[in-house]
Amino acid sequence: MPPPRILFLDQSGALGGGELYLLDVARAYANTSHVVLFEDGPFLDRLRAEGVSAEVMEVGESVHAVRKEAGPRALLSALPGLTQAVCRLAHRARDYDLIFANTQKTLFMGGLAGWWSARPVVWNLHDLLSPEHFTATTRRLAVWGANRLASHVIANSQATQRTFTDAGGRLPTSVVYNGIAPAPFRAVGPAEVAHQREQLGLGAAPVVGVFSRLAPWKGQHVLLDAVATLPNVHILLVGDALFEGDDAYAAALRRQAEEQGLSDRVHFLGFREDVPTLMRTCDVVAHTSVSPEPFGRVIVEGMLAERPVVATRAGGALEIIDHGATGWLVPPGEASALATTLRDLLAAPDRTRSVAAAGRRAAEARFSPTQMLLGIDRVFQKICPTSSPIPLPDSVCSSDHVCKQT
Ligand code: UDP
């Protein structure tokens, strides 16, 4: 019996958290599977560089124009493009056992293609279907579509699972946390950290890093407000404006840094591929989202880097951090509370060191790539019982201590 043949779908060509997750999953099924994106970009290059068969399917501007808050008019004008894309996807899907929709837009297109080609559809829910993130109409539409077009929902946290069922989701759901390989974090030694500090001109200054795309709900402005009250502390802002409308926020952050006299203490580093090294360069890793985070890969990564992590108390962060034991939680959007916690952490490195070590152990035990792949494969096995379980790749086993125990 071969492993299942999966047609993975994602609309984005950018490297957001959902795409980095899909990269790891698709790599594990690379021998039998294929990825279709609706947009060109660095995600396509990364997939191909890592040996995953992938293509961009042209869907036309009208389909791209259907966004979270788009109304019936946008949907109507996208109809011809959508129908064409669904036809092509259905044709492609005939060579696969199941369709894996990694985003909401692909749930609809993949769902219709699945119905047409008689292939089951798994929807990976990376979003909180809550009023902070989506209008009531979009939420109803997503759940209505999932109930009719998909067979199973994989939720990236209990928080996202709850919003699906609370909104009327009736499908079987499984929570599968993102798994992140600890090896790249372990590999960063003091020499690389010293080199990085020198390159960034940090001297001996305390450094707080935030590692998220620049978007208003990611709350980088709150960290600027907090650090404005902490003399000498430097900020690494790692990440870029990845999605439409976020450029204005990036510009506003630069203005804010200037107005608050922080320009020489705030380092805008853009999108970086060396997140493990940069995290190990920080004294504290901050997660500042002002709306609940669906999961929060960066929180787990900060723990794997064995750095004290401060995250906002909402959504998936509550499932990752045990406050005071493996990290710290602060109220979202409250710069003064964040400043107080940062001041305390920077002043007591001995106490924070033991919590950071406990955080690393917890992250390695609970968010391993092996557990993630086994969780996903369990869903695939239920849906395609004639396929064999996934052979865990050496690359996962070599970087993942849990593998050796399973
Ligand atoms: N990331 C990255 N380079 C950057 C900024 C972020 O590779 O410059 C990665 C980060 O390490 C994490 C992901 O982007 O793996 C963000 O995932 P998260 O779940 O935190 O947020 P999302 O983008 O899914 O909202």
Side-chain angles (χ1 to χ4, degrees), residues 91-118:
H91 186 70
R92 266 231 169 278
R94 293 203 177 100
D95 295 333
Y96 297 91
D97 300 313
L98 75 85
I99 297 174
F100 184 99
N102 199 44
T103 58
Q104 275 189 49
K105 197 181 275 185
T106 58
L107 162 69
F108 280 93
M109 296 168 71
L112 288 167
W115 166 77
W116 202 323
S117 57

PDB file of all heavy atoms in Angstrom, residues 91-118:
ATOM      1  N   HIS A  91     -10.074  18.371 -12.425  1.00  0.00           N
ATOM      2  CA  HIS A  91      -9.354  17.531 -13.382  1.00  0.00           C
ATOM      3  C   HIS A  91      -8.064  17.006 -12.746  1.00  0.00           C
ATOM      4  O   HIS A  91      -7.742  15.823 -12.805  1.00  0.00           O
ATOM      5  CB  HIS A  91      -9.056  18.370 -14.624  1.00  0.00           C
ATOM      6  CG  HIS A  91      -8.448  17.571 -15.716  1.00  0.00           C
ATOM      7  ND1 HIS A  91      -9.145  16.622 -16.416  1.00  0.00           N
ATOM      8  CD2 HIS A  91      -7.185  17.558 -16.198  1.00  0.00           C
ATOM      9  CE1 HIS A  91      -8.343  16.063 -17.296  1.00  0.00           C
ATOM     10  NE2 HIS A  91      -7.146  16.612 -17.180  1.00  0.00           N
ATOM     11  N   ARG A  92      -7.343  17.921 -12.090  1.00  0.00           N
ATOM     12  CA  ARG A  92      -6.079  17.554 -11.410  1.00  0.00           C
ATOM     13  C   ARG A  92      -6.326  16.564 -10.278  1.00  0.00           C
ATOM     14  O   ARG A  92      -5.562  15.630 -10.057  1.00  0.00           O
ATOM     15  CB  ARG A  92      -5.455  18.802 -10.791  1.00  0.00           C
ATOM     16  CG  ARG A  92      -4.445  19.468 -11.650  1.00  0.00           C
ATOM     17  CD  ARG A  92      -3.185  19.687 -10.800  1.00  0.00           C
ATOM     18  NE  ARG A  92      -2.054  20.107 -11.597  1.00  0.00           N
ATOM     19  CZ  ARG A  92      -1.287  19.264 -12.267  1.00  0.00           C
ATOM     20  NH1 ARG A  92      -1.547  17.972 -12.256  1.00  0.00           N
ATOM     21  NH2 ARG A  92      -0.258  19.704 -12.933  1.00  0.00           N
ATOM     22  N   ALA A  93      -7.427  16.788  -9.544  1.00  0.00           N
ATOM     23  CA  ALA A  93      -7.693  15.995  -8.336  1.00  0.00           C
ATOM     24  C   ALA A  93      -7.894  14.517  -8.648  1.00  0.00           C
ATOM     25  O   ALA A  93      -7.722  13.666  -7.771  1.00  0.00           O
ATOM     26  CB  ALA A  93      -8.917  16.549  -7.608  1.00  0.00           C
ATOM     27  N   ARG A  94      -8.236  14.206  -9.890  1.00  0.00           N
ATOM     28  CA  ARG A  94      -8.485  12.791 -10.238  1.00  0.00           C
ATOM     29  C   ARG A  94      -7.241  11.930 -10.034  1.00  0.00           C
ATOM     30  O   ARG A  94      -7.329  10.721  -9.886  1.00  0.00           O
ATOM     31  CB  ARG A  94      -8.981  12.679 -11.684  1.00  0.00           C
ATOM     32  CG  ARG A  94     -10.341  13.311 -11.817  1.00  0.00           C
ATOM     33  CD  ARG A  94     -11.149  12.802 -12.988  1.00  0.00           C
ATOM     34  NE  ARG A  94     -12.445  13.448 -12.933  1.00  0.00           N
ATOM     35  CZ  ARG A  94     -12.808  14.499 -13.678  1.00  0.00           C
ATOM     36  NH1 ARG A  94     -11.979  14.991 -14.574  1.00  0.00           N
ATOM     37  NH2 ARG A  94     -13.995  15.050 -13.539  1.00  0.00           N
ATOM     38  N   ASP A  95      -6.054  12.562 -10.043  1.00  0.00           N
ATOM     39  CA  ASP A  95      -4.811  11.793  -9.843  1.00  0.00           C
ATOM     40  C   ASP A  95      -4.462  11.643  -8.365  1.00  0.00           C
ATOM     41  O   ASP A  95      -3.395  11.127  -8.038  1.00  0.00           O
ATOM     42  CB  ASP A  95      -3.635  12.506 -10.533  1.00  0.00           C
ATOM     43  CG  ASP A  95      -3.805  12.528 -12.032  1.00  0.00           C
ATOM     44  OD1 ASP A  95      -4.477  11.607 -12.553  1.00  0.00           O
ATOM     45  OD2 ASP A  95      -3.312  13.477 -12.671  1.00  0.00           O
ATOM     46  N   TYR A  96      -5.317  12.141  -7.465  1.00  0.00           N
ATOM     47  CA  TYR A  96      -4.980  12.128  -6.027  1.00  0.00           C
ATOM     48  C   TYR A  96      -6.097  11.488  -5.213  1.00  0.00           C
ATOM     49  O   TYR A  96      -7.224  11.362  -5.686  1.00  0.00           O
ATOM     50  CB  TYR A  96      -4.695  13.573  -5.559  1.00  0.00           C
ATOM     51  CG  TYR A  96      -3.496  14.121  -6.293  1.00  0.00           C
ATOM     52  CD1 TYR A  96      -3.652  14.821  -7.492  1.00  0.00           C
ATOM     53  CD2 TYR A  96      -2.203  13.852  -5.844  1.00  0.00           C
ATOM     54  CE1 TYR A  96      -2.547  15.254  -8.212  1.00  0.00           C
ATOM     55  CE2 TYR A  96      -1.098  14.284  -6.558  1.00  0.00           C
ATOM     56  CZ  TYR A  96      -1.279  14.980  -7.736  1.00  0.00           C
ATOM     57  OH  TYR A  96      -0.178  15.393  -8.455  1.00  0.00           O
ATOM     58  N   ASP A  97      -5.751  11.091  -3.964  1.00  0.00           N
ATOM     59  CA  ASP A  97      -6.744  10.443  -3.102  1.00  0.00           C
ATOM     60  C   ASP A  97      -7.562  11.457  -2.319  1.00  0.00           C
ATOM     61  O   ASP A  97      -8.700  11.207  -1.959  1.00  0.00           O
ATOM     62  CB  ASP A  97      -6.049   9.513  -2.091  1.00  0.00           C
ATOM     63  CG  ASP A  97      -5.251   8.432  -2.792  1.00  0.00           C
ATOM     64  OD1 ASP A  97      -5.804   7.823  -3.719  1.00  0.00           O
ATOM     65  OD2 ASP A  97      -4.076   8.235  -2.427  1.00  0.00           O
ATOM     66  N   LEU A  98      -6.920  12.568  -1.982  1.00  0.00           N
ATOM     67  CA  LEU A  98      -7.682  13.583  -1.247  1.00  0.00           C
ATOM     68  C   LEU A  98      -7.132  14.976  -1.469  1.00  0.00           C
ATOM     69  O   LEU A  98      -5.979  15.152  -1.863  1.00  0.00           O
ATOM     70  CB  LEU A  98      -7.798  13.241   0.240  1.00  0.00           C
ATOM     71  CG  LEU A  98      -6.669  13.392   1.236  1.00  0.00           C
ATOM     72  CD1 LEU A  98      -6.600  14.794   1.768  1.00  0.00           C
ATOM     73  CD2 LEU A  98      -6.905  12.441   2.394  1.00  0.00           C
ATOM     74  N   ILE A  99      -8.001  15.955  -1.218  1.00  0.00           N
ATOM     75  CA  ILE A  99      -7.636  17.368  -1.387  1.00  0.00           C
ATOM     76  C   ILE A  99      -7.453  17.968   0.004  1.00  0.00           C
ATOM     77  O   ILE A  99      -8.297  17.756   0.889  1.00  0.00           O
ATOM     78  CB  ILE A  99      -8.741  18.124  -2.159  1.00  0.00           C
ATOM     79  CG1 ILE A  99      -8.876  17.540  -3.567  1.00  0.00           C
ATOM     80  CG2 ILE A  99      -8.455  19.618  -2.201  1.00  0.00           C
ATOM     81  CD1 ILE A  99     -10.047  18.117  -4.364  1.00  0.00           C
ATOM     82  N   PHE A 100      -6.360  18.693   0.182  1.00  0.00           N
ATOM     83  CA  PHE A 100      -6.059  19.313   1.470  1.00  0.00           C
ATOM     84  C   PHE A 100      -6.108  20.824   1.255  1.00  0.00           C
ATOM     85  O   PHE A 100      -5.242  21.398   0.598  1.00  0.00           O
ATOM     86  CB  PHE A 100      -4.659  18.870   1.913  1.00  0.00           C
ATOM     87  CG  PHE A 100      -4.231  19.355   3.265  1.00  0.00           C
ATOM     88  CD1 PHE A 100      -4.322  18.522   4.380  1.00  0.00           C
ATOM     89  CD2 PHE A 100      -3.697  20.626   3.431  1.00  0.00           C
ATOM     90  CE1 PHE A 100      -3.893  18.958   5.632  1.00  0.00           C
ATOM     91  CE2 PHE A 100      -3.263  21.065   4.676  1.00  0.00           C
ATOM     92  CZ  PHE A 100      -3.362  20.232   5.777  1.00  0.00           C
ATOM     93  N   ALA A 101      -7.141  21.473   1.777  1.00  0.00           N
ATOM     94  CA  ALA A 101      -7.306  22.924   1.597  1.00  0.00           C
ATOM     95  C   ALA A 101      -6.698  23.627   2.807  1.00  0.00           C
ATOM     96  O   ALA A 101      -7.169  23.450   3.928  1.00  0.00           O
ATOM     97  CB  ALA A 101      -8.792  23.261   1.460  1.00  0.00           C
ATOM     98  N   ASN A 102      -5.671  24.435   2.553  1.00  0.00           N
ATOM     99  CA  ASN A 102      -4.924  25.032   3.664  1.00  0.00           C
ATOM    100  C   ASN A 102      -5.422  26.427   4.033  1.00  0.00           C
ATOM    101  O   ASN A 102      -4.925  27.029   4.978  1.00  0.00           O
ATOM    102  CB  ASN A 102      -3.429  25.099   3.291  1.00  0.00           C
ATOM    103  CG  ASN A 102      -2.531  25.251   4.505  1.00  0.00           C
ATOM    104  OD1 ASN A 102      -2.738  24.579   5.518  1.00  0.00           O
ATOM    105  ND2 ASN A 102      -1.545  26.142   4.427  1.00  0.00           N
ATOM    106  N   THR A 103      -6.407  26.949   3.275  1.00  0.00           N
ATOM    107  CA  THR A 103      -6.922  28.301   3.556  1.00  0.00           C
ATOM    108  C   THR A 103      -8.430  28.300   3.272  1.00  0.00           C
ATOM    109  O   THR A 103      -8.955  27.365   2.676  1.00  0.00           O
ATOM    110  CB  THR A 103      -6.274  29.336   2.614  1.00  0.00           C
ATOM    111  OG1 THR A 103      -6.544  28.947   1.265  1.00  0.00           O
ATOM    112  CG2 THR A 103      -4.770  29.442   2.823  1.00  0.00           C
ATOM    113  N   GLN A 104      -9.084  29.411   3.650  1.00  0.00           N
ATOM    114  CA  GLN A 104     -10.544  29.461   3.439  1.00  0.00           C
ATOM    115  C   GLN A 104     -10.923  29.514   1.968  1.00  0.00           C
ATOM    116  O   GLN A 104     -11.874  28.887   1.537  1.00  0.00           O
ATOM    117  CB  GLN A 104     -11.108  30.678   4.148  1.00  0.00           C
ATOM    118  CG  GLN A 104     -11.395  30.382   5.593  1.00  0.00           C
ATOM    119  CD  GLN A 104     -12.156  31.493   6.257  1.00  0.00           C
ATOM    120  OE1 GLN A 104     -13.154  31.965   5.731  1.00  0.00           O
ATOM    121  NE2 GLN A 104     -11.699  31.918   7.404  1.00  0.00           N
ATOM    122  N   LYS A 105     -10.157  30.318   1.207  1.00  0.00           N
ATOM    123  CA  LYS A 105     -10.503  30.430  -0.219  1.00  0.00           C
ATOM    124  C   LYS A 105     -10.341  29.071  -0.898  1.00  0.00           C
ATOM    125  O   LYS A 105     -11.160  28.654  -1.710  1.00  0.00           O
ATOM    126  CB  LYS A 105      -9.612  31.476  -0.898  1.00  0.00           C
ATOM    127  CG  LYS A 105     -10.165  31.946  -2.220  1.00  0.00           C
ATOM    128  CD  LYS A 105      -9.258  32.961  -2.872  1.00  0.00           C
ATOM    129  CE  LYS A 105      -9.515  34.372  -2.393  1.00  0.00           C
ATOM    130  NZ  LYS A 105      -8.715  35.377  -3.111  1.00  0.00           N
ATOM    131  N   THR A 106      -9.291  28.348  -0.515  1.00  0.00           N
ATOM    132  CA  THR A 106      -9.081  27.049  -1.155  1.00  0.00           C
ATOM    133  C   THR A 106     -10.081  26.013  -0.649  1.00  0.00           C
ATOM    134  O   THR A 106     -10.318  25.009  -1.301  1.00  0.00           O
ATOM    135  CB  THR A 106      -7.637  26.539  -0.966  1.00  0.00           C
ATOM    136  OG1 THR A 106      -7.355  26.442   0.423  1.00  0.00           O
ATOM    137  CG2 THR A 106      -6.627  27.442  -1.638  1.00  0.00           C
ATOM    138  N   LEU A 107     -10.693  26.274   0.527  1.00  0.00           N
ATOM    139  CA  LEU A 107     -11.756  25.368   0.993  1.00  0.00           C
ATOM    140  C   LEU A 107     -12.887  25.364  -0.037  1.00  0.00           C
ATOM    141  O   LEU A 107     -13.423  24.320  -0.402  1.00  0.00           O
ATOM    142  CB  LEU A 107     -12.281  25.810   2.363  1.00  0.00           C
ATOM    143  CG  LEU A 107     -13.642  25.245   2.746  1.00  0.00           C
ATOM    144  CD1 LEU A 107     -13.553  23.732   2.994  1.00  0.00           C
ATOM    145  CD2 LEU A 107     -14.215  25.931   3.979  1.00  0.00           C
ATOM    146  N   PHE A 108     -13.254  26.571  -0.503  1.00  0.00           N
ATOM    147  CA  PHE A 108     -14.370  26.642  -1.437  1.00  0.00           C
ATOM    148  C   PHE A 108     -14.007  26.059  -2.790  1.00  0.00           C
ATOM    149  O   PHE A 108     -14.730  25.237  -3.350  1.00  0.00           O
ATOM    150  CB  PHE A 108     -14.858  28.092  -1.571  1.00  0.00           C
ATOM    151  CG  PHE A 108     -15.740  28.437  -0.421  1.00  0.00           C
ATOM    152  CD1 PHE A 108     -15.220  29.027   0.707  1.00  0.00           C
ATOM    153  CD2 PHE A 108     -17.075  28.083  -0.432  1.00  0.00           C
ATOM    154  CE1 PHE A 108     -16.011  29.289   1.802  1.00  0.00           C
ATOM    155  CE2 PHE A 108     -17.888  28.342   0.667  1.00  0.00           C
ATOM    156  CZ  PHE A 108     -17.356  28.944   1.784  1.00  0.00           C
ATOM    157  N   MET A 109     -12.831  26.483  -3.293  1.00  0.00           N
ATOM    158  CA  MET A 109     -12.466  26.010  -4.634  1.00  0.00           C
ATOM    159  C   MET A 109     -12.129  24.519  -4.594  1.00  0.00           C
ATOM    160  O   MET A 109     -12.563  23.739  -5.435  1.00  0.00           O
ATOM    161  CB  MET A 109     -11.315  26.856  -5.174  1.00  0.00           C
ATOM    162  CG  MET A 109     -11.809  28.285  -5.325  1.00  0.00           C
ATOM    163  SD  MET A 109     -10.527  29.463  -5.625  1.00  0.00           S
ATOM    164  CE  MET A 109     -10.052  29.060  -7.262  1.00  0.00           C
ATOM    165  N   GLY A 110     -11.370  24.121  -3.589  1.00  0.00           N
ATOM    166  CA  GLY A 110     -11.014  22.707  -3.441  1.00  0.00           C
ATOM    167  C   GLY A 110     -12.238  21.875  -3.113  1.00  0.00           C
ATOM    168  O   GLY A 110     -12.372  20.735  -3.567  1.00  0.00           O
ATOM    169  N   GLY A 111     -13.144  22.446  -2.305  1.00  0.00           N
ATOM    170  CA  GLY A 111     -14.359  21.716  -1.920  1.00  0.00           C
ATOM    171  C   GLY A 111     -15.223  21.408  -3.134  1.00  0.00           C
ATOM    172  O   GLY A 111     -15.714  20.288  -3.303  1.00  0.00           O
ATOM    173  N   LEU A 112     -15.387  22.423  -4.003  1.00  0.00           N
ATOM    174  CA  LEU A 112     -16.195  22.199  -5.204  1.00  0.00           C
ATOM    175  C   LEU A 112     -15.489  21.222  -6.144  1.00  0.00           C
ATOM    176  O   LEU A 112     -16.128  20.338  -6.735  1.00  0.00           O
ATOM    177  CB  LEU A 112     -16.457  23.539  -5.911  1.00  0.00           C
ATOM    178  CG  LEU A 112     -17.444  24.445  -5.153  1.00  0.00           C
ATOM    179  CD1 LEU A 112     -17.423  25.856  -5.711  1.00  0.00           C
ATOM    180  CD2 LEU A 112     -18.866  23.864  -5.207  1.00  0.00           C
ATOM    181  N   ALA A 113     -14.162  21.367  -6.235  1.00  0.00           N
ATOM    182  CA  ALA A 113     -13.398  20.435  -7.089  1.00  0.00           C
ATOM    183  C   ALA A 113     -13.508  19.010  -6.533  1.00  0.00           C
ATOM    184  O   ALA A 113     -13.605  18.035  -7.293  1.00  0.00           O
ATOM    185  CB  ALA A 113     -11.937  20.875  -7.161  1.00  0.00           C
ATOM    186  N   GLY A 114     -13.524  18.889  -5.210  1.00  0.00           N
ATOM    187  CA  GLY A 114     -13.650  17.574  -4.580  1.00  0.00           C
ATOM    188  C   GLY A 114     -15.008  16.953  -4.868  1.00  0.00           C
ATOM    189  O   GLY A 114     -15.127  15.761  -5.171  1.00  0.00           O
ATOM    190  N   TRP A 115     -16.027  17.780  -4.795  1.00  0.00           N
ATOM    191  CA  TRP A 115     -17.392  17.298  -5.080  1.00  0.00           C
ATOM    192  C   TRP A 115     -17.477  16.810  -6.531  1.00  0.00           C
ATOM    193  O   TRP A 115     -18.002  15.752  -6.830  1.00  0.00           O
ATOM    194  CB  TRP A 115     -18.366  18.447  -4.793  1.00  0.00           C
ATOM    195  CG  TRP A 115     -19.738  18.230  -5.328  1.00  0.00           C
ATOM    196  CD1 TRP A 115     -20.698  17.422  -4.797  1.00  0.00           C
ATOM    197  CD2 TRP A 115     -20.278  18.826  -6.509  1.00  0.00           C
ATOM    198  NE1 TRP A 115     -21.819  17.477  -5.582  1.00  0.00           N
ATOM    199  CE2 TRP A 115     -21.589  18.330  -6.647  1.00  0.00           C
ATOM    200  CE3 TRP A 115     -19.801  19.722  -7.457  1.00  0.00           C
ATOM    201  CZ2 TRP A 115     -22.416  18.705  -7.688  1.00  0.00           C
ATOM    202  CZ3 TRP A 115     -20.612  20.102  -8.496  1.00  0.00           C
ATOM    203  CH2 TRP A 115     -21.909  19.589  -8.613  1.00  0.00           C
ATOM    204  N   TRP A 116     -16.890  17.593  -7.414  1.00  0.00           N
ATOM    205  CA  TRP A 116     -16.919  17.302  -8.850  1.00  0.00           C
ATOM    206  C   TRP A 116     -16.151  16.016  -9.174  1.00  0.00           C
ATOM    207  O   TRP A 116     -16.567  15.190  -9.965  1.00  0.00           O
ATOM    208  CB  TRP A 116     -16.278  18.478  -9.588  1.00  0.00           C
ATOM    209  CG  TRP A 116     -16.664  18.619 -11.024  1.00  0.00           C
ATOM    210  CD1 TRP A 116     -16.883  17.622 -11.926  1.00  0.00           C
ATOM    211  CD2 TRP A 116     -16.861  19.846 -11.708  1.00  0.00           C
ATOM    212  NE1 TRP A 116     -17.199  18.144 -13.141  1.00  0.00           N
ATOM    213  CE2 TRP A 116     -17.196  19.529 -13.040  1.00  0.00           C
ATOM    214  CE3 TRP A 116     -16.790  21.182 -11.358  1.00  0.00           C
ATOM    215  CZ2 TRP A 116     -17.447  20.494 -14.005  1.00  0.00           C
ATOM    216  CZ3 TRP A 116     -17.037  22.138 -12.318  1.00  0.00           C
ATOM    217  CH2 TRP A 116     -17.369  21.795 -13.618  1.00  0.00           C
ATOM    218  N   SER A 117     -14.989  15.862  -8.512  1.00  0.00           N
ATOM    219  CA  SER A 117     -14.121  14.720  -8.851  1.00  0.00           C
ATOM    220  C   SER A 117     -14.314  13.549  -7.884  1.00  0.00           C
ATOM    221  O   SER A 117     -13.570  12.571  -7.947  1.00  0.00           O
ATOM    222  CB  SER A 117     -12.653  15.161  -8.819  1.00  0.00           C
ATOM    223  OG  SER A 117     -12.342  15.693  -7.541  1.00  0.00           O
ATOM    224  N   ALA A 118     -15.273  13.686  -6.968  1.00  0.00           N
ATOM    225  CA  ALA A 118     -15.560  12.643  -5.962  1.00  0.00           C
ATOM    226  C   ALA A 118     -14.324  12.341  -5.114  1.00  0.00           C
ATOM    227  O   ALA A 118     -13.993  11.180  -4.864  1.00  0.00           O
ATOM    228  CB  ALA A 118     -16.091  11.368  -6.629  1.00  0.00           C
TER     229      ALA A 118
END
